[in-house]
Amino acid sequence: MVLTQRNQINEDAESIKQQHMAHYISGDLIPLQEEERLNALRQYEIIDSSSDGPLKLLTEVVALAFNVPLAVITLIDSEKAYYKESTLEQFRGVKVDRNKSYCSLAILSNEVTIFKDTHIEPCLINSRELVEQIGYRFYASAPLKSSSGFNIGTVAILDKQARDLSDTHKLLLVKIATMIMDEIELRAVFRREVIQTMSKAEQLTEANHQLTSNIGQLKEANTNMAELISVAAHDLRAPLGRAKGLAELLRMRYIHESEEAEITDKIMTVSNDGLQLIDDILNKENNKVTNRNLFHNVNIHRILEDDILEHLREIAKKKSITILSNTDDSIELTTNQGALKRIVENLVANAIKFSNPNSTICVSAFQKADCILISIKDEGPGISAEDQKKMFRKFQKLSAKPTADETSTGLGLSIVKELMSELSGEIEVKSEPEQGTEFILKFKRGLKQQKGSMASRHLPNDFSKKAQIITK
């Protein structure tokens, strides 16, 4: 199995090299949909911005993790390659012609790009002068993919010695690229918050007769902004600091190979902690789905089974938790698919986080005459009556604790509540201490009625007998 996967990776790498060679020979370094890619880049307004502390820290972590002298975050504009952050001062903020940057070539691929030795790479034959000028022989990079799916730049590592990159380190580079992109997304969210706050201040000046009301709104916006920044700064500082410390251990020559794998796993864990907070904050800012043009007819069974439970299965397996499902493949609902996925993912992920090993989580969906019900039920510690009164407040942490020391930001349920409101849905909670918790999502039926509607069908008490086992 492992050998097959490695062979596939090698085949993919060779295919990427052949594609790169073809682009260099033809002189065509412009990706498909270049105009859309440039629009995706420019929406972040990051090209000419000042040096960014978190991004600078991430480049240092990359250099330490891979034991290289140079790590660079590069953004590719229409004519220039912009070195946004670098571990070497002389590269930071520098712009070079796009056709003189390896990264212009690397963004053509969605995979990790590797040149083991730039002095002998056939696809760099047209860039021999550039290769000799830079003085670095090894190059590897992972693309920075925007939320709209376009490669806007890369995070790259360079070394003066020819070398290779293991499969584990390739995966690590991809994960760090994702973390960098999430930091860029978070920066954009903060910028929008500042713009909105400034706009509210201008409205106060122009509308004196609404002074009292507008001042109250401004205070609330400032409070939310301060709360958002303080939580992000506090919670992100810890995982990034731990990641940097672990990466420093990797750089030490006397670390044994077996210990290196363990430290790499720990870097991934603390990085995921930071990413979870970023995801929650970004979702909090991007959960407005009131535009009815974003509503489509979706199949509930496919979303639950293929888009949500399939990837949550691996997380549940690590805690020996079984996920059962019972859904009718004919159920369809007119809704916003992305919002619905985030709602169910949050609830199932919470169920995994707060459930003990060897327990069961049940996910089901049923039709009634006027609505569709989705249930997520676990065997966890339950939620007290007192906690139920405040469980949907943002940044609210409840008395129950994750069973495997997972991170909890207190944002998940507030996101669920707001998204359900945006979808004109209702959420019901059934829980008692030590008796588990069940969340029931209720959605009004769309215009399209399904054949064989189960109008009289209710959530059964013997659900587990009918459920399909998704994870063991």
Side-chain angles (χ1 to χ4, degrees):
M1 179 69 175
V2 174
L3 182 59
T4 301
Q5 292 176 340
R6 288 179 177 173
N7 289 338
Q8 183 62 49
I9 291 172
N10 292 333
E11 291 175 4
D12 292 343
E14 185 60 32
S15 173
I16 293 168
K17 278 193 176 182
Q18 292 175 1
Q19 295 172 23
H20 287 172
M21 187 181 298
H23 280 289
Y24 259 106
I25 292 173
S26 66
D28 178 17
L29 293 177
I30 306 301
L32 298 175
Q33 297 181 298
E34 174 66 355
E35 190 63 31
E36 291 85 347
R37 189 195 72 83
L38 290 173
N39 289 336
L41 167 63
R42 290 164 185 169
Q43 73 173 349
Y44 297 110
E45 298 182 9
I46 194 174
I47 289 292
D48 293 315
S49 62
S50 59
S51 182
D52 190 292
L55 292 182
K56 182 179 178 181
L57 175 60
L58 284 169
T59 58
E60 294 173 355
V61 170
V62 173
L64 289 169
F66 292 92
N67 192 23
V68 295
L70 178 59
V72 184
I73 297 174
T74 306
L75 303 172
I76 307 299
D77 205 353
S78 57
E79 297 181 359
K80 298 288 185 179
Y82 175 58
Y83 300 146
K84 171 61 182 172
E85 287 295 343
S86 167
T87 50
L88 298 181
E89 184 68 31
Q90 62 265 36
F91 286 100
R92 192 172 300 136
V94 172
K95 293 181 180 180
V96 299
D97 290 343
R98 179 170 173 172
N99 60 3
K100 291 184 178 181
S101 170
Y102 295 160
C103 300
S104 300
L105 177 61
I107 65 168
L108 299 175
S109 171
N110 290 323
E111 308 295 334
V112 173
T113 296
I114 299 176
F115 299 132
K116 299 177 184 178
D117 189 345
T118 58
H119 289 194
I120 62 174
E121 284 288 346
C123 61
L124 298 179
I125 191 170
N126 290 343
S127 301
R128 182 61 58 209
E129 180 181 350
L130 172 64
V131 169
E132 295 176 354
Q133 178 182 353
I134 293 178
Y136 287 89
R137 301 189 67 168
F138 170 76
Y139 171 91
S141 69
L144 301 177
K145 188 178 291 295
S146 72
S147 58
S148 53
F150 295 99
N151 295 339
I152 64 171
T154 66
V155 54
I157 55 175
L158 296 91
D159 200 346
K160 293 187 176 181
Q161 303 297 323
R163 55 185 285 189
D164 200 356
L165 205 62
S166 69
D167 294 343
T168 299
H169 283 126
K170 290 177 187 176
L171 179 61
L172 178 58
L173 188 60
V174 170
K175 294 294 185 182
I176 294 177
T178 301
M179 178 183 282
I180 290 172
M181 197 62 233
D182 284 337
E183 176 61 36
I184 292 174
E185 296 276 6
L186 182 59
R187 181 184 180 279
V189 170
F190 285 153
R191 186 181 66 253
R192 287 194 296 270
E193 285 283 348
V194 171
I195 292 173
Q196 291 173 9
T197 301
M198 292 175 63
S199 176
K200 288 180 179 179
E202 291 175 359
Q203 292 172 12
L204 287 173
T205 302
E206 296 171 359
N208 290 327
H209 63 283
Q210 295 181 349
L211 183 60
T212 303
S213 174
N214 288 344
I215 287 177
Q217 294 177 11
L218 184 59
K219 286 182 177 180
E220 181 179 358
N222 288 338
T223 299
N224 290 340
M225 185 66 173
E227 190 175 39
L228 196 67
I229 293 173
S230 64
V231 171
H234 178 271
D235 285 3
L236 283 176
R237 190 180 187 88
L240 288 177
R242 294 200 303 273
K244 182 178 180 181
L246 291 167
E248 288 175 345
L249 291 178
L250 282 177
R251 196 173 187 182
M252 297 178 182
R253 299 288 184 182
Y254 56 80
I255 292 295
H256 193 273
E257 289 184 0
S258 60
E259 294 175 321
E260 180 177 341
E262 181 180 355
I263 292 174
T264 301
D265 288 341
K266 290 180 178 179
I267 291 176
M268 297 301 299
T269 298
V270 297
S271 298
N272 285 334
D273 289 346
L275 286 174
Q276 179 62 55
L277 175 67
I278 293 173
D279 287 343
D280 284 345
I281 292 174
L282 289 176
N283 286 338
K284 186 74 176 176
E285 295 303 312
N286 293 299
N287 63 5
K288 303 300 182 185
V289 295
T290 51
N291 184 352
R292 304 303 295 185
N293 292 329
L294 300 177
F295 282 54
H296 305 285
N297 208 47
V298 297
N299 184 280
I300 299 300
H301 175 83
R302 183 186 62 78
I303 289 179
L304 292 179
E305 300 293 350
D306 299 339
D307 296 350
I308 301 176
L309 296 183
E310 183 175 357
H311 77 86
L312 289 175
R313 172 177 55 194
E314 297 303 321
I315 300 176
K317 277 185 178 180
K318 293 178 181 178
K319 294 181 68 174
S320 300
I321 293 173
T322 300
I323 297 181
L324 307 175
S325 75
N326 185 22
T327 61
D328 189 323
D329 59 12
S330 69
I331 302 177
E332 294 192 3
L333 175 67
T334 301
T335 188
N336 180 283
Q337 179 171 323
L340 178 61
K341 285 174 59 178
R342 291 211 301 272
I343 290 169
V344 178
E345 282 177 344
N346 262 299
L347 294 177
V348 177
N350 262 7
I352 295 172
K353 187 181 298 183
F354 289 93
S355 292
N356 289 311
N358 302 310
S359 61
T360 299
I361 297 171
C362 301
V363 181
S364 57
F366 296 96
Q367 298 183 92
K368 296 180 70 174
D370 60 345
C371 67
I372 290 174
L373 303 176
I374 299 175
S375 166
I376 298 94
K377 185 175 183 179
D378 63 50
E379 299 174 348
I383 305 173
S384 68
E386 186 64 28
D387 278 347
Q388 290 184 39
K389 296 177 183 178
K390 57 186 179 181
M391 63 191 298
F392 292 115
R393 298 174 188 170
K394 58 186 177 182
F395 302 113
Q396 183 66 59
K397 296 186 179 182
L398 306 181
S399 56
K401 303 298 181 184
T403 56
D405 295 326
E406 297 99 329
T407 298
S408 176
T409 63
L411 276 170
L413 289 179
S414 68
I415 292 172
V416 167
K417 181 68 173 179
E418 289 195 19
L419 285 173
M420 285 297 294
S421 177
E422 292 288 334
L423 297 181
S424 300
E426 300 174 10
I427 182 168
E428 179 183 356
V429 183
K430 295 181 179 180
S431 183
E432 294 182 11
E434 307 305 325
Q435 298 297 316
T437 300
E438 180 180 17
F439 287 91
I440 301 175
L441 310 175
K442 181 179 179 181
F443 301 92
K444 296 178 181 179
R445 293 292 302 272
L447 296 176
K448 182 178 179 180
Q449 297 295 322
Q450 302 300 309
K451 295 181 179 180
S453 174
M454 299 183 292
S456 62
R457 191 168 184 181
H458 296 272
L459 296 176
N461 293 327
D462 60 342
F463 164 77
S464 59
K465 297 180 180 178
K466 300 180 179 180
Q468 171 189 358
I469 296 179
I470 297 301
T471 63
K472 296 183 179 180

